[in-house]
């Protein structure tokens, strides 16, 4: 299990270095962090078990701790390299593109969708901005809003570009 | 030339629906793989107005340019891609019951070059899977 832990830390450090080295704002989605962490833990456990390995109490405790931390961050997105002001404007713009009215109060934003609302908290976090999805409705617009917001920033994974990049796209 | 058409009935006014669709900056909101629209050189309702588009699928980003072919208020908006795969997208609206039937109709040529063939995958994806999703997304956004 030590090897798996080292691999996980190595991947996480590489991702952090890539994101911090970029000039374009990059989005780190907590829900994806949780999903990938859970999958990694699952694969590590299965492979270790198939090889006849045993899990110590400490290893299990660390795995549970990592998964709990992943669960905690799943409702949070970090926009690295963007301040709260620009992220707030982007949130408003995305809601507007979905014909969803937005109201702002301090660091909170409420995007109204049929049958409910998306409640967000937008707060500074060092060089980045954290968006906390406080609560959400179940309308299709919610998924469209999250997807459109994520599209406004680069993802952590590198992207292969084909064709002429639009002028000014970096 | 290949063709795919997908429809949905939306509870809204036809002119409001077509005004929304003709604002091409709205397209990333309802077309899943479309990441961005930029560098619009005028009013997309006017024929000849062009813009850059960027699709992202499976970590691969495709970019190109498109331009308006025609716009008829409350009835039709059509544009064509002018780089890579040659394709034409036509959105039409017609009254149906108490709503409006919105149809997206896509025609495209089978490309010859390798790069265009790769970009054809983007268009095919949009046509088949995303076409249905796009009109359903439009319904979710515009239903009143």
């Amino acid at each position: 299990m030590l090897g798996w832990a080292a691999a996980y830390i190595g991947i996480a450090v590489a991702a952090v270095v890539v994101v911090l080295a970029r000039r374009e704002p990059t989005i780190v989605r907590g829900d994806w962090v949780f999903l990938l962490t859970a999958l990694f833990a699952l694969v590590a456990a299965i492979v270790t078990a198939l090889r006849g390995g045993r899990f110590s109490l400490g290893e299990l405790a660390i795995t549970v701790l990592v998964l709990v931390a992943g669960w905690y961050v799943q409702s949070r997105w970090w926009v690295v390299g963007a301040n709260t002001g620009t992220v707030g404007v982007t949130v408003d713009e995305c809601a507007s593109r979905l014909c969803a009215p937005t109201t702002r109060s301090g660091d909170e934003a409420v995007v109204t969708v049929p049958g409910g609302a998306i409640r967000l908290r937008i707060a500074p976090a060092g060089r980045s901005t954290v968006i906390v999805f406080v609560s959400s409705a179940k309308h299709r617009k919610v998924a469209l809003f999250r997807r459109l917001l994520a599209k406004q920033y680069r993802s952590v994974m590198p992207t292969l570009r084909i064709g002429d990049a639009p002028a000014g796209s970096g | 030339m290949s063709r795919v058409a997908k429809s949905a009935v939306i509870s809204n006014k036809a002119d409001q629906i077509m005004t929304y669709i003709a604002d091409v900056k709205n397209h990333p909101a309802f077309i899943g793989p479309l990441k961005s629209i930029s560098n619009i050189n005028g009013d997309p309702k006017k024929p000849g107005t062009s813009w850059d588009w960027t699709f992202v699928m499976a970590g691969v980003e495709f970019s190109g340019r498109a331009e308006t072919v025609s716009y008829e208020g409350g009835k039709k908006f059509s544009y064509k891609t002018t780089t890579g795969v040659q394709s034409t997208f036509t959105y039409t609206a017609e009254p149906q019951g108490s709503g409006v039937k919105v149809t997206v109709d896509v025609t495209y040529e089978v490309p010859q070059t390798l790069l265009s063939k790769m970009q054809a995958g983007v268009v095919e994806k949009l046509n088949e899977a995303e076409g249905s999703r796009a009109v359903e997304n439009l319904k979710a956004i515009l239903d009143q």
Side-chain angles (χ1 to χ4, degrees):
Chain A
M1 284 295 276
L2 260 179
W4 286 99
Y8 182 85
I9 291 167
I11 292 168
V13 168
V16 168
V17 169
V18 165
V19 168
L20 291 179
R22 281 188 186 150
R23 282 181 296 175
E24 301 165 76
T26 299
I27 194 155
V28 181
R29 296 181 54 165
D31 49 349
W32 282 100
V33 170
F34 173 64
L35 182 69
L36 294 175
T37 300
L39 280 174
F40 192 90
L42 186 67
V43 169
I46 289 172
V47 171
T48 303
L50 287 175
R51 286 178 177 169
R54 289 189 169 195
F55 306 101
S56 71
L57 202 59
E59 288 168 343
L60 285 175
I62 289 170
T63 304
V64 169
L65 200 67
V66 168
L67 289 176
V68 168
W71 178 260
Y72 174 76
V73 303
Q74 72 159 346
S75 61
R76 288 158 169 76
W77 291 7
W78 286 265
V79 185
V80 180
N83 62 41
T84 53
T86 57
V87 170
V89 169
T90 304
V91 164
D92 292 347
E93 170 77 10
C94 289
S96 153
R97 296 281 166 203
L98 290 161
C99 304
T102 311
T103 54
R104 300 285 292 276
S105 173
D107 64 353
E108 291 199 351
V110 178
V111 180
T112 305
V113 297
I118 310 164
R119 294 182 184 281
L120 307 169
R121 197 163 61 244
I122 303 164
R127 273 186 59 199
S128 65
T129 294
V130 62
I131 303 169
V132 184
F133 291 85
V134 179
S135 66
S136 212
K138 289 192 173 173
H139 194 267
R140 190 179 183 123
K141 267 191 189 182
V142 176
L144 294 176
F145 173 77
R146 288 168 68 99
R147 190 174 65 184
L148 185 59
L149 184 57
K151 282 183 191 180
Q152 307 308 309
Y153 306 103
R154 278 197 73 175
S155 65
V156 176
M157 295 294 287
T159 306
L160 175 66
R161 287 177 172 160
I162 294 176
D164 299 327
S169 68
Chain B
M1 188 75 81
S2 299
R3 180 187 176 205
V4 168
K6 305 285 180 183
S7 301
V9 177
I10 299 175
S11 300
N12 203 328
K13 292 177 182 168
D15 59 339
Q16 287 188 11
I17 294 170
M18 293 315 292
T19 297
Y20 177 86
I21 292 171
D23 182 351
V24 294
K25 279 271 192 183
N26 287 328
H27 288 207
F30 63 88
I31 299 174
L34 181 59
K35 183 175 171 64
S36 65
I37 295 290
S38 59
N39 302 321
I40 303 171
N41 70 356
D43 180 356
K45 290 178 179 172
K46 292 183 178 166
T49 299
S50 61
W51 58 88
D52 290 322
W53 52 263
T54 301
F55 269 81
V56 177
M57 285 196 316
V60 181
E61 206 169 87
F62 301 87
S63 298
R65 198 140 178 97
E67 71 174 40
T68 301
V69 174
S70 65
Y71 174 77
E72 293 174 51
K75 291 182 180 172
K76 182 180 170 186
F77 174 63
S78 179
Y79 66 88
K80 64 180 180 183
T81 55
T82 54
T83 59
V85 176
Q86 299 301 302
S87 57
T88 303
F89 292 69
T90 303
Y91 292 83
T92 53
E94 53 185 321
Q96 186 170 92
S98 59
V100 175
K101 182 181 176 186
V102 175
T103 302
V104 56
D105 190 322
V106 187
T107 57
Y108 63 96
E109 288 178 5
V110 177
Q112 301 301 315
T113 66
L114 178 61
L115 178 62
S116 293
K117 279 180 181 172
M118 291 173 76
Q119 292 190 346
V122 175
V123 177
E124 283 172 5
K125 168 96 173 170
L126 174 71
N127 291 350
E128 293 304 327
E130 286 299 329
S132 298
R133 275 197 283 268
V135 289
E136 288 305 317
N137 291 340
L138 273 173
K139 182 175 171 59
I141 293 166
L142 295 168
D143 254 348
Q144 287 189 332

